[in-house]
Amino acid sequence: MRIPRLLSLVMAGALAALTIPLAAPVSAAAPAASDTAKPLILLIDVSSSMDEDGGNGLSKLDGAKAGMRAAISGRSGNLVGLWTYPTDGNCSAGGYVTDAEPVKRSDSSKLKAIVSNLAANGNTPTAQALEALGANLTKRGFQQANIVLVSDGESNCDPPKPPCDVARALVAQGFDITINTIGFSISDAGREELTCIADATHGSYVSVEDSESLIDELQNQVNPTLKLTATS
């Protein structure tokens, strides 16, 4: 285990969080995007179970925060957004964290600080979150997107249709979407759900069992995507 690395990431996040107010979800539409713009959205489950032990001395959510900060570090100039769910402590579809919509930024420091303020509460409305995010991206003028979805459990909010069907529907609508999913100490049912979402969108599924592995996997998922976006 590389505990010093984890501690340094968590400490850096705690200090950064002191510089901005607590985040709140927003859903306002931005100006229409270019037809070729391909944002990267970090779609993060912040349900109550993310407060559970994630190994390496961190909660699951603290591990996710450290992974996101490390993944977006120095990635300025890319279209990166952060959507969390739920935001009502129950079963809402969630939304973009304040100042974390998919826009180009001159530097990544503010987004890293925003990540540090995330808190866990509520259930796991993955289907609702995917549907709302797809609708929001379309409203913003995007025709394609890469999504990295992190969750530690299966949906439990009685959606009108399963999350995998939502992913299939987005593809059927002609939206060029790839969803790479990461299951964090997840149940068999949750693993099947995330695998189906990934398969439906030509993405990949990976299981991780501790915070250190999640940090590494987020960097593996995010950095190649951002490099490709920056040079396209």
Side-chain angles (χ1 to χ4, degrees):
M1 295 191 303
R2 288 165 281 177
I3 300 301
R5 178 187 178 214
L6 279 168
L7 290 176
S8 65
L9 287 168
V10 173
M11 292 278 294
L15 290 173
L18 297 176
T19 66
I20 63 171
L22 289 175
V26 296
S27 57
S34 163
D35 289 346
T36 60
K38 193 168 189 177
L40 169 70
I41 309 297
L42 301 176
L43 178 58
I44 309 299
D45 166 12
V46 292
S47 59
S48 297
S49 58
M50 289 292 282
D51 263 340
E52 295 173 0
D53 181 23
N56 308 114
L58 300 175
S59 71
K60 292 178 181 179
L61 184 58
D62 283 337
K65 290 178 185 180
M68 285 186 283
R69 286 193 298 268
I72 63 180
S73 180
R75 296 299 173 182
S76 304
N78 293 278
L79 288 165
V80 182
L82 171 60
W83 183 293
T84 63
Y85 69 97
T87 51
D88 64 352
N90 190 15
C91 282
S92 74
Y96 295 112
V97 177
T98 300
D99 294 326
E101 297 88 351
V103 296
K104 290 186 177 180
R105 296 172 176 81
S106 58
D107 67 77
S108 60
S109 58
K110 188 171 184 180
L111 186 56
K112 290 167 65 178
I114 288 169
V115 165
S116 300
N117 283 331
L118 298 179
N121 193 21
N123 294 300
T124 311
T126 303
Q128 291 91 330
L130 276 175
E131 193 165 50
L133 175 56
N136 182 276
L137 289 170
T138 300
K139 185 176 181 180
R140 288 172 177 269
F142 293 112
Q143 298 180 7
Q144 54 186 344
N146 288 313
I147 296 173
V148 177
L149 167 59
V150 178
S151 179
D152 72 334
E154 67 273 18
S155 299
N156 60 0
C157 284
D158 298 321
K161 52 188 172 183
C164 193
D165 287 353
V166 174
R168 292 191 185 106
L170 288 171
V171 173
Q173 291 165 15
F175 197 92
D176 181 7
I177 187 171
T178 300
I179 306 175
N180 294 323
T181 58
I182 303 175
F184 193 0
S185 299
I186 200 167
S187 65
D188 289 342
R191 184 180 303 109
E192 291 177 6
E193 185 174 280
L194 294 185
T195 299
C196 187
I197 292 170
D199 288 346
T201 60
H202 303 289
S204 63
Y205 169 76
V206 177
S207 287
V208 297
E209 297 301 325
D210 57 51
S211 296
E212 182 73 16
S213 298
L214 179 60
I215 291 170
D216 290 341
E217 187 55 39
L218 274 168
Q219 289 181 297
N220 291 339
Q221 295 277 358
V222 171
N223 289 345
T225 299
L226 288 178
K227 290 174 183 176
L228 179 61
T229 302
T231 58
S232 62

